[in-house]
Amino acid sequence: MKRTHLPHRRRLLVAGASLLAPGALLGAGSALAQDKWPSKPITYVVPFTPGGSTDVIGRVIAQKLGDALGQPVIVDNRPGAAGAVGAGYVAKAKPDGYTLFGETISTHAINASLYKNLPYDPVKDFDPIALVAFLPNVLIVDPALGVNSVADLIALLKKDPARRTFASSGAGTSTHLAGEMLADMIGVKLTHIPYKGTPPAMLDVSSGQVTFMFDQITAALPLVQAGKLTLLAVTTAKRMALAPDLPTMQEAGVKGFEMASWQAVYAPKGLPAPIAQRLATEIHKILLTPEVKDKLTNQLGMDVVAGSPADLAALMQKEIPRWGELVRKSGATAN
């Protein structure tokens, strides 16, 4: 049988057409972009004001990650609505590896139940990258309040209606829900006063404008060491190495009170797998370096986890319904 051959020019046209097909062009461009990543600075969004735990963690990771990737990683603070403002911004960003999100238990567990109209879906709009650390909250008061124990504080709250206020770093944060949990357990209605971050909230507690608050020891230590705040208890089941003399809430008499915040890193949904894997690998290595682990654990009281994307996804599946139940029980809401 005689074989038919395409003319040379026609073969070239057919080959060219196949290369210009939309799928082929997209695949080639995507692969090229991944090969060159990162070719410009990366933005690490922190959804709270500077100085808080999320910001501290973000700056530690950003510096080390920038060194590892050969491009600057710039921290961008976008506070508001318990992290929902920053989360909403990241949810709409391109999934190209140039936007990361330092998220918390608030943005990816509590807010799902507390806010009726979130500008993002904590599961559908993000790709998990790394579970960073767990953080115990501590109960904090103004030394001038004359309160030296959790029992003293509870007695004051029950006796003096004017003192029934507590601050938080924002509606929907773990610091907010900790206060609601205490109110529920002691049977006293408390007034929640939300702030746009930890530093301004602590300043008002230290000046006596608000009675107490729960927050991570990370931000509290400088004011505690300066004699402007007093620590009464830690919220976890066990005492923390950073403050071994500080009793747990349960040891202080509030039976069943146990909670811990957590921190993690996410990216907008749809991040190319090679980039996601590179980020997860680099952040994992960063968290396990002696320098970083010592800073987060021994200086800031964090329990470093360095968990995988799968670990983070599994945690969310447990935490979202758990906090949803507490929100419904407490009646806490946020607009």
Side-chain angles (χ1 to χ4, degrees), residues 128-132 280 284 305-314:
I129 301 298
L131 176 58
V132 177
H284 180 83
V305 180
S308 68
D311 294 333
L312 179 52

Side-chain angles (χ1 to χ4, degrees), residues 18 48 87 103 110 191 257 266 271 273 289 303:
S18 66
F48 299 102
E103 67 83 38
I110 297 174
T191 299
F257 194 111
Y266 278 82
L271 188 66
T289 58
D303 180 12

Side-chain angles (χ1 to χ4, degrees), residues 196-214:
K196 287 187 176 182
T198 291
M202 284 191 177
L203 285 176
D204 276 3
V205 172
S206 68
S207 64
Q209 295 185 54
V210 186
T211 304
F212 73 93
M213 74 176 294
F214 288 91

Side-chain angles (χ1 to χ4, degrees), residues 82-146:
V85 171
Y89 172 80
V90 175
K92 296 177 178 63
K94 291 182 179 180
D96 55 8
Y98 291 102
T99 303
L100 298 176
F101 185 49
E103 67 83 38
T104 70
I105 189 175
S106 303
T107 60
H108 278 64
I110 297 174
N111 284 358
S113 299
L114 198 69
Y115 287 82
K116 294 182 179 180
N117 299 302
L118 279 180
Y120 65 95
D121 185 302
V123 177
K124 296 180 181 179
D125 291 341
F126 297 86
D127 281 334
I129 301 298
L131 176 58
V132 177
F134 286 100
L135 296 86
N137 284 321
V138 289
L139 177 54
I140 309 162
V141 297
D142 174 13
L145 195 62

Side-chain angles (χ1 to χ4, degrees), residues 56 217-218 221 240 242 294-302:
V56 171
I217 198 170
T218 309
L221 275 180
M240 59 194 308
L242 192 59
D294 175 73
K295 180 178 179 65
L296 298 185
T297 302
N298 299 323
Q299 297 181 38
L300 303 177
M302 302 177 189

Side-chain angles (χ1 to χ4, degrees), residues 26-39:
L26 180 61
S30 178
L32 185 61
Q34 292 174 36
D35 289 342
K36 291 185 176 181
W37 181 89
S39 60

